[in-house]
Short mmCIF file of all heavy atoms in Angstrom, two decimals:
data_model
loop_
_atom_site.label_atom_id
_atom_site.label_comp_id
_atom_site.label_asym_id
_atom_site.label_seq_id
_atom_site.Cartn_x
_atom_site.Cartn_y
_atom_site.Cartn_z
N PRO A 14 75.84 75.84 119.03
CA PRO A 14 76.75 75.13 118.05
C PRO A 14 75.91 74.52 116.93
O PRO A 14 74.85 73.97 117.16
CB PRO A 14 77.45 74.09 118.95
CG PRO A 14 77.43 74.68 120.26
CD PRO A 14 76.12 75.43 120.41
N SER A 15 76.45 74.57 115.78
CA SER A 15 75.89 74.04 114.49
C SER A 15 74.84 74.91 113.89
O SER A 15 74.43 74.72 112.75
CB SER A 15 75.30 72.62 114.67
OG SER A 15 74.03 72.65 115.20
N GLN A 16 74.35 75.99 114.64
CA GLN A 16 73.31 76.85 114.08
C GLN A 16 74.01 77.97 113.29
O GLN A 16 75.20 78.02 113.14
CB GLN A 16 72.51 77.40 115.22
CG GLN A 16 71.61 76.29 115.87
CD GLN A 16 70.51 76.83 116.72
OE1 GLN A 16 70.55 78.04 117.16
NE2 GLN A 16 69.59 76.02 117.05
N ILE A 17 73.13 78.83 112.74
CA ILE A 17 73.65 79.90 111.87
C ILE A 17 73.86 81.18 112.71
O ILE A 17 72.95 81.57 113.43
CB ILE A 17 72.70 80.26 110.73
CG1 ILE A 17 72.57 79.05 109.80
CG2 ILE A 17 73.12 81.49 109.90
CD1 ILE A 17 71.48 79.16 108.67
N LEU A 18 75.08 81.71 112.64
CA LEU A 18 75.37 82.99 113.29
C LEU A 18 74.95 84.12 112.30
O LEU A 18 75.43 84.15 111.18
CB LEU A 18 76.79 83.07 113.60
CG LEU A 18 77.38 84.23 114.43
CD1 LEU A 18 78.75 83.81 115.02
CD2 LEU A 18 77.52 85.45 113.63
N SER A 19 74.00 85.00 112.73
CA SER A 19 73.43 85.88 111.84
C SER A 19 73.50 87.32 112.48
O SER A 19 73.03 87.53 113.61
CB SER A 19 71.99 85.59 111.50
OG SER A 19 71.45 86.49 110.56
N LEU A 20 74.05 88.29 111.78
CA LEU A 20 74.18 89.68 112.20
C LEU A 20 73.82 90.60 111.11
O LEU A 20 73.99 90.36 109.92
CB LEU A 20 75.60 89.99 112.71
CG LEU A 20 76.10 89.22 113.92
CD1 LEU A 20 77.60 89.47 114.06
CD2 LEU A 20 75.32 89.55 115.14
N THR A 21 73.26 91.79 111.53
CA THR A 21 72.94 92.90 110.63
C THR A 21 73.62 94.14 111.00
O THR A 21 73.82 94.45 112.22
CB THR A 21 71.39 93.10 110.61
OG1 THR A 21 70.78 91.95 110.11
CG2 THR A 21 71.06 94.27 109.72
N CYS A 22 74.05 94.88 110.00
CA CYS A 22 74.68 96.20 110.23
C CYS A 22 73.83 97.29 109.56
O CYS A 22 73.57 97.22 108.37
CB CYS A 22 76.05 96.23 109.63
SG CYS A 22 76.98 97.79 109.94
N THR A 23 73.39 98.21 110.41
CA THR A 23 72.55 99.31 109.91
C THR A 23 73.39 100.56 109.74
O THR A 23 74.11 100.98 110.70
CB THR A 23 71.35 99.61 110.87
OG1 THR A 23 70.55 98.43 110.98
CG2 THR A 23 70.54 100.75 110.32
N VAL A 24 73.35 101.18 108.55
CA VAL A 24 74.19 102.31 108.23
C VAL A 24 73.29 103.52 108.28
O VAL A 24 72.19 103.52 107.78
CB VAL A 24 74.80 102.13 106.85
CG1 VAL A 24 75.64 103.40 106.48
CG2 VAL A 24 75.66 100.89 106.79
N SER A 25 73.80 104.55 109.01
CA SER A 25 73.02 105.86 109.06
C SER A 25 74.03 106.99 108.71
O SER A 25 75.24 106.85 108.82
CB SER A 25 72.41 106.11 110.44
OG SER A 25 73.39 106.06 111.47
N GLY A 26 73.48 108.13 108.33
CA GLY A 26 74.31 109.26 108.03
C GLY A 26 74.93 109.20 106.57
O GLY A 26 75.71 109.97 106.29
N GLY A 27 74.44 108.23 105.84
CA GLY A 27 74.98 108.05 104.48
C GLY A 27 74.25 106.87 103.83
O GLY A 27 73.77 106.02 104.51
N SER A 28 74.29 106.81 102.51
CA SER A 28 73.61 105.81 101.81
C SER A 28 74.56 104.64 101.52
O SER A 28 75.69 104.82 101.09
CB SER A 28 73.03 106.32 100.51
OG SER A 28 72.53 105.23 99.73
N ILE A 29 74.09 103.41 101.73
CA ILE A 29 74.86 102.22 101.44
C ILE A 29 75.13 102.10 99.96
O ILE A 29 76.01 101.34 99.46
CB ILE A 29 74.17 101.02 102.03
CG1 ILE A 29 75.23 99.90 102.29
CG2 ILE A 29 73.04 100.49 101.16
CD1 ILE A 29 74.71 98.76 103.17
N THR A 30 74.33 102.83 99.14
CA THR A 30 74.53 102.79 97.68
C THR A 30 75.43 103.81 97.15
O THR A 30 75.57 104.04 95.88
CB THR A 30 73.13 102.89 96.98
OG1 THR A 30 72.55 104.16 97.34
CG2 THR A 30 72.22 101.80 97.40
N SER A 31 76.13 104.58 98.06
CA SER A 31 77.16 105.50 97.62
C SER A 31 78.29 104.79 96.89
O SER A 31 79.12 104.24 97.53
CB SER A 31 77.66 106.32 98.78
OG SER A 31 76.69 107.08 99.34
N GLY A 32 78.29 104.88 95.61
CA GLY A 32 79.09 104.18 94.62
C GLY A 32 80.38 103.46 95.04
O GLY A 32 80.51 102.25 94.94
N ALA A 33 81.39 104.21 95.56
CA ALA A 33 82.71 103.62 95.55
C ALA A 33 82.97 102.76 96.85
O ALA A 33 83.94 102.14 96.92
CB ALA A 33 83.76 104.76 95.59
N TYR A 34 82.00 102.74 97.78
CA TYR A 34 82.34 102.08 99.05
C TYR A 34 81.90 100.62 99.03
O TYR A 34 80.92 100.18 98.43
CB TYR A 34 81.57 102.79 100.19
CG TYR A 34 81.88 104.22 100.34
CD1 TYR A 34 80.92 105.20 100.15
CD2 TYR A 34 83.21 104.63 100.62
CE1 TYR A 34 81.22 106.54 100.31
CE2 TYR A 34 83.51 105.95 100.77
CZ TYR A 34 82.57 106.91 100.61
OH TYR A 34 82.88 108.22 100.73
N TYR A 35 82.70 99.82 99.78
CA TYR A 35 82.34 98.50 100.13
C TYR A 35 82.02 98.48 101.64
O TYR A 35 82.38 99.39 102.33
CB TYR A 35 83.50 97.52 99.89
CG TYR A 35 83.63 97.12 98.41
CD1 TYR A 35 84.22 97.97 97.46
CD2 TYR A 35 83.18 95.93 97.95
CE1 TYR A 35 84.34 97.63 96.13
CE2 TYR A 35 83.29 95.56 96.58
CZ TYR A 35 83.90 96.45 95.68
OH TYR A 35 83.98 96.12 94.41
N TRP A 36 81.32 97.42 102.00
CA TRP A 36 80.95 97.34 103.39
C TRP A 36 81.37 95.95 103.95
O TRP A 36 81.09 94.98 103.42
CB TRP A 36 79.39 97.43 103.47
CG TRP A 36 78.97 98.78 102.83
CD1 TRP A 36 78.63 99.01 101.54
CD2 TRP A 36 78.87 100.07 103.47
NE1 TRP A 36 78.39 100.35 101.30
CE2 TRP A 36 78.53 101.01 102.51
CE3 TRP A 36 79.08 100.46 104.77
CZ2 TRP A 36 78.35 102.37 102.75
CZ3 TRP A 36 78.91 101.82 105.06
CH2 TRP A 36 78.55 102.77 104.08
N SER A 37 82.04 96.02 105.10
CA SER A 37 82.83 94.95 105.54
C SER A 37 82.41 94.38 106.89
O SER A 37 81.82 95.09 107.75
CB SER A 37 84.34 95.33 105.54
OG SER A 37 85.16 94.21 105.86
N TRP A 38 82.80 93.17 107.15
CA TRP A 38 82.74 92.52 108.46
C TRP A 38 84.09 92.09 108.94
O TRP A 38 84.86 91.57 108.09
CB TRP A 38 81.76 91.29 108.42
CG TRP A 38 80.31 91.63 108.24
CD1 TRP A 38 79.57 91.59 107.16
CD2 TRP A 38 79.46 92.08 109.36
NE1 TRP A 38 78.26 91.93 107.44
CE2 TRP A 38 78.16 92.27 108.78
CE3 TRP A 38 79.53 92.26 110.71
CZ2 TRP A 38 77.05 92.64 109.48
CZ3 TRP A 38 78.40 92.66 111.43
CH2 TRP A 38 77.19 92.88 110.82
N ILE A 39 84.39 92.34 110.13
CA ILE A 39 85.66 91.97 110.81
C ILE A 39 85.36 91.39 112.15
O ILE A 39 84.33 91.75 112.77
CB ILE A 39 86.58 93.21 110.99
CG1 ILE A 39 86.77 93.98 109.65
CG2 ILE A 39 87.87 92.81 111.64
CD1 ILE A 39 85.89 95.17 109.49
N ARG A 40 86.11 90.46 112.61
CA ARG A 40 85.92 89.87 113.95
C ARG A 40 87.15 89.87 114.79
O ARG A 40 88.27 89.93 114.21
CB ARG A 40 85.23 88.51 113.86
CG ARG A 40 86.12 87.44 113.43
CD ARG A 40 85.37 86.13 113.38
NE ARG A 40 86.15 84.98 112.91
CZ ARG A 40 85.65 83.73 112.83
NH1 ARG A 40 84.42 83.40 113.11
NH2 ARG A 40 86.51 82.74 112.40
N GLN A 41 87.01 89.80 116.06
CA GLN A 41 88.09 89.81 117.00
C GLN A 41 87.84 88.77 118.08
O GLN A 41 86.92 89.00 118.89
CB GLN A 41 88.30 91.16 117.61
CG GLN A 41 89.53 91.31 118.46
CD GLN A 41 89.85 92.73 118.74
OE1 GLN A 41 88.96 93.60 118.94
NE2 GLN A 41 91.15 93.14 118.86
N HIS A 42 88.59 87.67 118.04
CA HIS A 42 88.41 86.69 119.16
C HIS A 42 88.83 87.27 120.48
O HIS A 42 89.67 88.17 120.50
CB HIS A 42 89.19 85.47 118.81
CG HIS A 42 88.71 84.72 117.61
ND1 HIS A 42 89.33 84.78 116.34
CD2 HIS A 42 87.61 83.93 117.38
CE1 HIS A 42 88.61 84.04 115.45
NE2 HIS A 42 87.56 83.53 116.12
N PRO A 43 88.23 86.85 121.57
CA PRO A 43 88.52 87.46 122.82
C PRO A 43 90.03 87.54 123.13
O PRO A 43 90.77 86.53 123.12
CB PRO A 43 87.88 86.46 123.83
CG PRO A 43 86.73 85.89 123.06
CD PRO A 43 87.23 85.75 121.66
N GLY A 44 90.46 88.75 123.40
CA GLY A 44 91.86 88.98 123.69
C GLY A 44 92.86 88.84 122.56
O GLY A 44 94.05 88.83 122.76
N LYS A 45 92.33 88.72 121.36
CA LYS A 45 93.18 88.48 120.19
C LYS A 45 93.11 89.60 119.25
O LYS A 45 92.61 90.63 119.44
CB LYS A 45 92.73 87.15 119.50
CG LYS A 45 92.76 85.95 120.42
CD LYS A 45 94.18 85.59 120.84
CE LYS A 45 94.19 84.31 121.69
NZ LYS A 45 95.54 84.02 122.15
N GLY A 46 93.74 89.34 118.08
CA GLY A 46 93.82 90.35 117.02
C GLY A 46 92.63 90.32 116.06
O GLY A 46 91.60 89.74 116.34
N LEU A 47 92.72 91.10 115.03
CA LEU A 47 91.59 91.34 114.10
C LEU A 47 91.65 90.40 112.94
O LEU A 47 92.72 90.09 112.29
CB LEU A 47 91.63 92.76 113.60
CG LEU A 47 91.49 93.80 114.75
CD1 LEU A 47 92.06 95.18 114.28
CD2 LEU A 47 90.03 93.93 115.18
N GLU A 48 90.48 89.88 112.51
CA GLU A 48 90.39 89.00 111.36
C GLU A 48 89.35 89.50 110.41
O GLU A 48 88.17 89.71 110.79
CB GLU A 48 89.97 87.56 111.78
CG GLU A 48 89.79 86.59 110.68
CD GLU A 48 89.33 85.20 111.13
OE1 GLU A 48 88.69 85.17 112.21
OE2 GLU A 48 89.50 84.25 110.39
N TRP A 49 89.75 89.70 109.15
CA TRP A 49 88.78 90.22 108.15
C TRP A 49 87.91 89.04 107.68
O TRP A 49 88.43 88.00 107.39
CB TRP A 49 89.56 90.78 106.97
CG TRP A 49 88.66 91.23 105.83
CD1 TRP A 49 87.84 92.29 105.75
CD2 TRP A 49 88.57 90.61 104.56
NE1 TRP A 49 87.27 92.36 104.53
CE2 TRP A 49 87.65 91.34 103.75
CE3 TRP A 49 89.21 89.41 104.02
CZ2 TRP A 49 87.39 90.94 102.45
CZ3 TRP A 49 88.85 89.06 102.69
CH2 TRP A 49 87.95 89.82 101.98
N ILE A 50 86.63 89.28 107.67
CA ILE A 50 85.65 88.23 107.26
C ILE A 50 85.32 88.38 105.81
O ILE A 50 85.33 87.37 105.03
CB ILE A 50 84.36 88.35 108.09
CG1 ILE A 50 84.72 88.04 109.56
CG2 ILE A 50 83.33 87.30 107.60
CD1 ILE A 50 83.56 88.31 110.55
N GLY A 51 84.99 89.61 105.32
CA GLY A 51 84.58 89.75 103.94
C GLY A 51 83.99 91.11 103.74
O GLY A 51 83.77 91.84 104.70
N TYR A 52 83.68 91.50 102.46
CA TYR A 52 83.00 92.71 102.22
C TYR A 52 82.11 92.63 100.97
O TYR A 52 82.25 91.65 100.15
CB TYR A 52 83.91 93.91 102.20
CG TYR A 52 85.12 93.97 101.24
CD1 TYR A 52 84.94 93.85 99.89
CD2 TYR A 52 86.37 94.17 101.76
CE1 TYR A 52 86.01 94.00 99.06
CE2 TYR A 52 87.48 94.24 100.98
CZ TYR A 52 87.30 94.19 99.58
OH TYR A 52 88.41 94.30 98.72
#
Side-chain angles (χ1 to χ4, degrees):
Chain A
S15 80
Q16 293 193 343
I17 296 174
L18 188 158
S19 183
L20 294 172
T21 295
C22 182
T23 301
V24 179
S25 59
S28 173
I29 205 167
T30 60
S31 295
Y34 301 118
Y35 282 79
W36 303 90
S37 186
W38 289 99
I39 304 99
R40 70 181 182 180
Q41 186 168 34
H42 294 103
K45 301 296 185 183
L47 298 160
E48 178 184 25
W49 175 72
I50 297 172
Y52 56 59

